[in-house]
Amino acid sequence: MNYQTVTEALNALRLLEEKQSALSHAMNMIVYDAATAAPKNTALGRGKTLGILSEYMYELIAAPENMEWIAYLHEHEDELTAEEKRRIEMTEKSCQQISRIPQNEYTEYQMLLNDAQTVWEKAKNENDFPAFAPYLEKIVAFNRKFAGYYNPAMAPYDALLNEFEEGMTMDVLDPFFEKLRSAIVPLLEKIRLAEPIDDSFLHRSFPVEKQKQCAEYLMAVLQIDRGYCGLAESEHPFTDNFNNKDVRITTHFYENNLTSALYSVIHEGGHAIYELACDDRYNQTAIAGGVSMGIHESQSRFFENIIGRSEPFIHAVYPEIRACFPEQLSDVSEEAFYRAVNRAEPSLIRTEADELTYCLHVMIRYELEKKLIAGTLAVGDLPSEWNRLYREYLGVEVPDDTHGCLQDTHWSGGSFGYFPSYALGSAYGAQMLAFMKKDIPDFEEKLRVADLADIKGWLGEHIHRHASLYQPSVLFENACGSFDPSYYVDYLTGKFKKLYHI
Ligand code: ZN
C-alpha cells in the first residue's frame, strides 16, 4: 500500500503498536503465570503456545510494509511531534532488531544459550568451571560479533551496554566505578575494624502469615493501589508490567529471614510505583513503561535503600512491624533494627549483598566482562581474576567457583553489559534524593510519619510520567542535571560512617 498522508502512516504505526502490545501482554501473562501460579508439570503446553505467539510477533514486526510507512514518516518529519518521532524511533528499532543478526547465527546462538543454561546450572552445582568454560567462550565470541551488528562504529562493549542503557558508554562508567572504588574500598576496611552490628534477631522464626500482613502494610505505606497492583509469591522476586493500570510484583517469604521479603516488597514496589505513574497517553505505544534498566533500578533501589533503610522511615514503620511480631522483636529497639537492616559486611554473593558492598560486586563484574569482550581476558583465566578482585576490593577469599564466577545467571544467558545498570541505578537514585530535598524542605519530617506523597509526587513529575519518551540520560539530566557520581559516594560514606561511628 502507498501511504498518501501522514495520518494514514501514523494509523499504521498505531495499529502495529497496539497489536505488539497485545501480543506481549499475552506472552508476559503466560510467563508470569508460570513463575507464580502454574503447577510444576505444565511447561510443555506453555512452551508450544509461547512458540506460536512468538512467531506471530515475528511476522508482525518483520512485515515489509512496516518499512514503507516508516520511510514515509521519515520523509515528513517536520509534520510530526517529538512524541510521534520517538514512537517511530522505538518502533523502527524493534523492527530492525530481528533483521540485524543473520537468521542462521541467531538460531545457532539461541541453541547455544539453551544448552549453556543447563551446563551452567550443573557446573554451578558441581563447582566445575571447566565444564562451562567452552560454552562461555562461544557466548563471548557471539556477543563480540553481535556488537558489530548492533553498532559497528562503537567499541564492542559500548555497543552491548547500549542494548540495556541507551547512550551509556565506558567513558561514563570507568570514572564512575573508579570513584566508587577509591571511596568504598578504604571505607570498608575501616568498617571491618569497627564494632560489628548484631543482626542475629532478624533470623529468628517469623511466621510467613504474619510476614504477609507486614508486606500488605508496606504496600499501603508505599501508597500502591492494590486495585492496580498484584502481589504474588515466586522463587525470585520480580515485577511484570502489562500497562500502567496492571502491574504485578512478587516476593519470596523465608521463615528465618524477616527482611528478605519485606525489602523485596519495597524494591519491587519501587518498580511498580514507576510503572503505575506512567502517563495514560503512552499505554499501548512503543514508549509505554519505564525507559531503561538503569532508571528502573534507580526507582526500586531508591525506595528499598534510600527510603526503606533510612532512619526516619524505620522510625515510622517499625512500631507496626514490631506489632506483627511482638514475641520475636520484643527486645529489639528501633535503633537496633535500623542498624541491623543496614549492616555492611563483605560477602561472596552479589544478590545477598548489603547496600554498601553491592556496588563493589557489580564493579568486579563490569571490569571482567569488559575485558572478556575486549579479548584481553581469556575465559580460562576468569576464575583466578574473579578471586583476585574479590580479595582486593572486598577482602574475601572465594572458596570455590560455585560461590565465585559461577554464581550469576547473566553470562550463561548471554547478557553482557547488563550488570552496570544495577550500580548506576543506585547512583541515579542518590542524585535524585539530593535534588528532591531541595524541592521538599520538610523531607525528613514527612518521612518520619511515612508520608510519601511529596516524594512520589516529585518522582512522578520528573521521572515516572514521561515513560520512555526521552532517552534515559536526557530524562535524568532534565530531572537533576548531568550525572555526577559524587552524590552517591557522599550518600554512602555519610550514611555508613555515621552508622559505624567512624
Ligand atoms: Zn529491581
Side-chain angles (χ1 to χ4, degrees):
M1 144 169 207
N2 275 325
Y3 295 88
Q4 307 295 336
T5 65
V6 168
T7 314
E8 264 178 16
L10 284 174
N11 282 341
L13 167 66
R14 184 78 194 149
L15 199 63
L16 174 65
E17 288 176 320
E18 285 177 356
K19 286 184 181 171
Q20 216 180 333
S21 113
L23 269 178
S24 51
H25 187 169
M27 288 195 280
N28 287 342
M29 187 60 90
I30 292 167
V31 174
Y32 170 82
D33 173 75
T36 53
K40 66 177 185 330
N41 296 330
T42 55
L44 201 61
R46 191 161 52 240
K48 179 114 182 112
T49 301
L50 281 172
I52 290 170
L53 290 176
S54 310
E55 271 169 39
Y56 276 119
M57 183 67 104
Y58 181 89
E59 284 165 20
L60 189 66
I61 43 186
E65 66 259 30
N66 293 340
M67 282 306 154
E68 289 171 26
W69 53 257
I70 287 174
Y72 181 88
L73 287 168
H74 278 313
E75 282 161 26
H76 296 81
E77 270 187 349
D78 48 344
E79 295 166 53
L80 301 171
T81 64
E83 183 181 325
E84 286 161 349
K85 282 187 208 161
R86 177 75 171 159
R87 281 168 53 204
I88 295 158
E89 184 195 344
M90 300 295 272
T91 303
E92 194 176 3
K93 222 184 224 177
S94 73
C95 292
Q96 287 167 345
Q97 199 94 8
I98 27 182
S99 55
R100 59 192 184 157
I101 297 172
Q103 186 65 45
N104 60 330
E105 286 181 32
Y106 184 77
T107 313
E108 200 188 325
Y109 183 58
Q110 290 307 318
M111 280 158 61
L112 171 66
L113 290 186
N114 197 42
D115 295 345
Q117 193 60 26
T118 320
V119 174
W120 165 74
E121 271 171 35
K122 194 163 179 279
K124 183 182 169 180
N125 286 333
E126 296 170 3
N127 182 33
D128 186 4
F129 182 77
F132 176 57
Y135 290 84
L136 186 58
E137 260 161 26
K138 284 185 197 156
I139 294 173
V140 168
F142 266 114
N143 272 277
R144 290 173 67 174
K145 202 170 185 186
F146 291 169
Y149 297 146
Y150 299 158
N151 193 331
M154 278 183 175
Y157 188 67
D158 277 345
L160 297 174
L161 280 172
N162 215 56
E163 292 295 295
F164 300 104
E165 196 70 14
E166 209 183 347
M168 189 47 62
T169 61
M170 290 181 277
D171 283 346
V172 177
L173 290 176
D174 284 344
F176 165 60
F177 281 115
E178 171 55 31
K179 201 169 168 70
L180 277 180
R181 192 184 56 74
S182 59
I184 308 304
V185 171
L187 177 63
L188 204 54
E189 265 156 36
K190 285 188 193 146
I191 288 178
R192 215 178 286 129
L193 301 171
E195 178 84 18
I197 290 175
D198 174 28
D199 70 347
S200 56
F201 53 81
L202 296 175
H203 300 280
R204 291 171 180 167
S205 168
F206 296 92
V208 166
E209 279 314 305
K210 287 281 178 190
Q211 287 196 47
K212 286 183 182 170
Q213 260 181 41
C214 241
E216 285 300 334
Y217 163 69
L218 290 171
M219 291 291 274
V221 169
L222 295 173
Q223 298 172 326
I224 296 175
D225 187 336
R226 298 303 310 279
Y228 299 119
C229 182
L231 170 60
E233 288 174 63
S234 61
E235 186 56 35
H236 302 287
F238 65 90
T239 299
D240 232 337
N241 55 297
F242 303 125
N243 54 65
N244 78 340
K245 299 281 185 288
D246 187 356
V247 179
R248 313 296 176 89
I249 69 169
T250 72
T251 188
H252 191 112
F253 296 100
Y254 297 91
E255 181 153 346
N256 293 103
N257 187 339
L258 175 62
T259 44
S260 172
L262 299 190
Y263 279 98
S264 82
V265 166
I266 304 180
H267 178 98
E268 303 307 330
H271 286 304
I273 287 169
Y274 185 7
E275 290 296 334
L276 291 165
C278 289
D279 198 291
D280 288 348
R281 64 183 294 137
Y282 306 126
N283 271 337
Q284 292 166 320
T285 73
I287 54 176
V291 66
S292 71
M293 164 73 194
I295 299 288
H296 239 299
E297 282 300 303
S298 78
Q299 298 310 291
S300 53
R301 284 171 198 279
F302 180 84
F303 282 99
E304 178 192 354
N305 293 324
I306 295 179
I307 297 294
R309 294 183 206 269
S310 71
E311 230 169 341
F313 185 79
I314 299 284
H315 173 78
V317 300
Y318 186 58
E320 191 67 32
I321 295 174
R322 183 145 66 172
C324 280
F325 303 103
E327 277 170 45
Q328 294 87 339
L329 297 175
S330 63
D331 59 340
V332 178
S333 70
E334 180 188 314
E335 201 207 341
F337 189 80
Y338 165 69
R339 289 173 58 81
V341 300
N342 281 296
R343 180 177 181 213
E345 197 183 31
S347 62
L348 293 167
I349 307 294
R350 175 185 61 85
T351 54
E352 293 162 13
D354 54 78
E355 185 183 10
L356 180 70
T357 57
Y358 190 82
C359 56
L360 299 179
H361 290 263
V362 174
M363 184 166 74
I364 290 170
R365 287 150 179 80
Y366 168 69
E367 287 186 20
L368 294 172
E369 65 178 19
K370 199 171 80 166
K371 286 185 187 156
L372 284 172
I373 296 298
T376 53
L377 172 67
V379 165
D381 296 331
L382 179 65
S384 60
E385 267 305 284
W386 178 286
N387 300 353
R388 186 181 70 77
L389 291 176
Y390 264 80
R391 197 177 305 125
E392 190 176 324
Y393 296 161
L394 285 144
V396 292
E397 286 300 323
V398 179
D400 51 46
D401 296 332
T402 300
H403 297 87
C405 65
L406 285 173
Q407 66 180 269
D408 296 305
T409 172
H410 300 60
W411 291 339
S412 64
S415 295
F416 286 84
Y418 187 105
F419 280 120
S421 344
Y422 292 124
L424 267 177
S426 302
Y428 287 159
Q431 191 162 340
M432 285 174 200
L433 172 73
F435 276 72
M436 171 184 311
K437 277 181 165 175
K438 289 187 208 165
D439 293 337
I440 311 174
D442 53 351
F443 182 89
E444 292 262 332
E445 292 76 48
K446 289 267 166 68
L447 208 49
R448 279 185 82 78
V449 289
D451 176 358
L452 302 182
D454 285 353
I455 294 169
K456 285 180 69 179
W458 193 96
L459 292 169
E461 172 65 23
H462 292 91
I463 307 289
H464 302 164
R465 71 186 174 97
H466 302 296
S468 297
L469 180 60
Y470 304 111
Q471 274 210 11
S473 58
V474 174
L475 176 76
F476 184 79
E477 282 192 38
N478 289 345
C480 37
S482 52
F483 173 54
D484 178 355
S486 321
Y487 288 99
Y488 182 42
V489 169
D490 292 349
Y491 161 79
L492 285 176
T493 42
K495 177 173 179 177
F496 284 91
K497 275 185 173 175
K498 196 170 161 218
L499 190 78
Y500 278 92
H501 312 296
I502 48 177

